[in-house]
């Protein structure tokens, strides 16, 4: 059973009543934080790495809640958001299940002749494109007719939440019986995509093979088997579209010796398909995960483990001279490893702990990329939605039954950030070294990230702690310099226990598992990210100051617009 470690319902009710400020800490329990932003000092570009998402279950994308969520993702940055899904080549009728999907793209006649059917996979990609989302196209897994699994091995797994995780490993996880037939499948699929969506469109996609081949749950061959499959797949894609963007290998964590071997192979190994030295590589990818636990009856997040994975992956790639400047995508980047797995340690998922963790972790990932001098292109959140499941069931997702969770609103805040980062400091921001060594275990991490876009300045603030316990809210004294002449107007967006938070509203309703139409509309309204009314901000000699309340586990965006 999923343990719900939530704040008392009486507090949640107070948060929902119009005109009531909510459950703010009394003055004696509030921390005072000094934040400075020099709006005239640029410290580099801030790439929009957050615009990548993914899920094990590809078929949810064509269902009602999946389409609604895809639309929300596409609206973050139209035509710049990417989606990665497992199981796109699995054999089956397209019925979704936990950690499973299928498209029946490849079968064979009785005499072994290939039969290609793109109907289901076209529907999935069509759903992406109809909503302004593009594929991060994962080539996998192994169709049943091509699988080299030993006789008697089941093809579709029987795993469900609560079962041992290794039960997901069945016939789909094996190398092909024929690399030639596999290569032709990939070639024909790419040709079809170019014909259906257009060359210019498919050139914008990412193509990568498989998932976590360093992990025996996902790959039942040797490393050399995978290198061969990778080379054959890249060659097949490039034969159909020479300008395709190809990469990989999306290993679990930094990838260990497997990643070392893969990097050496693509940089200077003998290509299994062409016989030449090296394999075309346009980007490199690995995964990074946190490690939440339950301590004394409450959830404690594992942000330190997450950031160590990031640093380890960056270091591996930076150490290979031929590849050191290649774009990097962290192909799964999450607080923990299994979106469909329940458990008391995952009780952070519905509320503001997930959203504040997201802000705090992304800020450090940007920082790590700069320190390692790598070309970070994307950070993919492995979170989507689980159709027709109980409300707020505790899966790692962005929405439940079509209602956005607070974490999705943090990505909406990210979408408002500019591309130019500004100098910013907080007196209560935990240092990168400390957070990597021990997480946020002492005082809260009250951090800042500032950007500029056109005539606006954006200041992102968060109040994060690893422990899901009551603690001090923060009063941030925001000191701005370098503003030049003219007053500003100020608008704030909050993601906290009382705002942009359908979970709080649902609990206040009595946690109904069958909300009626009126309740559903109320939940939709409660989930919305809404700005505060704009207020004037007086600027004197290019300076201005304002106080901002940042509750425990909250994220706040302050936007200043030139009057």
């Amino acid at each position: 059973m999923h343990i719900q470690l939530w704040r008392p319902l009486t507090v949640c009710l107070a948060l929902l009543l119009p005109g009531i400020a909510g459950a703010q800490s009394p003055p004696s329990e509030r921390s005072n934080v000094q934040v400075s932003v020099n709006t005239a000092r640029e410290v580099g570009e801030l790439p929009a790495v957050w615009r990548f998402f993914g899920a094990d279950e590809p078929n949810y994308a064509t269902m009602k809640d999946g389409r609604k969520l895809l639309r929300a993702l596409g609206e973050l940055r139209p035509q710049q958001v990417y989606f990665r899904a497992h199981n796109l080549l699995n054999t089956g009728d397209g019925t979704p299940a936990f950690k499973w999907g299928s498209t029946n793209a490849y079968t064979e006649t009785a005499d072994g002749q290939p039969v290609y059917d793109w109907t289901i996979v076209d529907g999935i990609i069509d759903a992406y494109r109809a909503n302004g989302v593009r594929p991060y196209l994962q080539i996998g897994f192994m169709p049943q007719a091509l699988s080299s699994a030993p006789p008697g091995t089941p093809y579709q797994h029987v795993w469900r939440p609560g079962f041992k995780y290794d039960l997901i490993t069945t016939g789909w996880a094996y190398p092909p019986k024929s690399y030639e037939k596999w290569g032709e499948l990939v070639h024909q699929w790419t040709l079809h995509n170019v014909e259906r969506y257009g060359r210019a469109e498919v050139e914008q996609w990412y193509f990568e093979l498989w998932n976590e081949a360093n992990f025996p749950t996902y790959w039942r061959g040797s490393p050399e088997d995978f290198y061969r499959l990778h080379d054959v797949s890249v060659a097949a894609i490039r034969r159909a579209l020479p300008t395709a963007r190809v990469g990989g290998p999306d290993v679990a964590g930094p990838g260990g010796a497997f990643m070392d071997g893969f990097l050496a192979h693509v940089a200077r190994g003998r290509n299994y398909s062409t016989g030449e030295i090296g394999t075309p590589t346009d980007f490199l990818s690995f995964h990074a995960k946190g490690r939440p636990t339950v301590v004394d009856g409450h959830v404690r997040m594992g942000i330190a483990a997450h950031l160590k994975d990031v640093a380890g992956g960056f270091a591996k790639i930076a150490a290979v001279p031929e590849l050191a400047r290649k774009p990097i995508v962290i192909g799964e980047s999450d607080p923990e490893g299994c979106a469909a797995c329940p458990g008391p340690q995952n009780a952070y998922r519905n509320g503001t702990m997930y959203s504040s963790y997201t802000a705090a972790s992304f800020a450090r990932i940007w920082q790590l990329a700069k320190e390692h001098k790598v070309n970070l292109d994307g950070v993919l959140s492995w979170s989507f939605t689980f159709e027709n499941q109980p409300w707020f069931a505790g899966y790692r997702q962005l929405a439940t039954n079509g209602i956005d969770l607070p974490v999705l609103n943090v990505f909406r805040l990210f979408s408002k950030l500019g591309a130019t980062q500004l100098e910013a400091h907080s007196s209560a921001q935990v240092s990168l070294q400390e957070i990597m060594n021990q997480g946020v275990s002492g005082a809260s991490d009250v951090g800042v990230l500032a950007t500029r876009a056109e005539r606006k300045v954006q200041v992102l603030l968060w109040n994060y702690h690893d422990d899901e316990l009551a603690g001090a809210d923060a009063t941030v004294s925001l000191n701005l310099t370098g503003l030049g002449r003219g007053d500003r107007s100020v608008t704030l967006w909050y993601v906290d226990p009382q705002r942009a938070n359908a979970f709080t509203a649902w609990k206040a309703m009595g946690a109904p598992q069958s909300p009626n139409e009126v309740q559903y509309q109320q939940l939709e309204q409660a989930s919305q990210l809404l700005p505060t009314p704009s207020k004037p901000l007086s600027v004197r000699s290019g300076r201005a100051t304002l106080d901002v309340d940042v509750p425990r586990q909250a994220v706040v965006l302050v936007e200043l617009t030139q009057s």
Side-chain angles (χ1 to χ4, degrees), residues 105-153:
Y106 181 92
T107 55
E108 291 183 355
T109 62
D111 61 352
Q113 296 303 306
V115 177
Y116 305 112
D117 184 348
W118 314 117
T119 305
I120 296 176
V121 72
D122 281 351
I124 293 168
I125 296 176
D126 288 351
Y128 299 163
R129 298 303 302 122
N131 291 288
V133 174
R134 287 189 159 123
Y136 182 119
L137 201 65
Q138 182 184 310
I139 312 298
F141 294 117
M142 194 57 58
Q144 189 169 12
L146 286 178
S147 175
S148 63
T153 303

Side-chain angles (χ1 to χ4, degrees), residues 453-458 483 486-491 493 534-537 539 558-563:
E454 298 178 350
R455 296 167 62 86
K456 295 182 178 181
V457 169
Q458 303 84 22
L483 290 170
D487 292 345
R488 301 292 193 275
S489 61
V490 178
T491 305
W493 284 264
S534 294
K535 294 183 178 179
L537 178 67
V539 177
V558 181
E559 188 166 64
L560 294 91
T561 304
Q562 198 162 7
S563 301

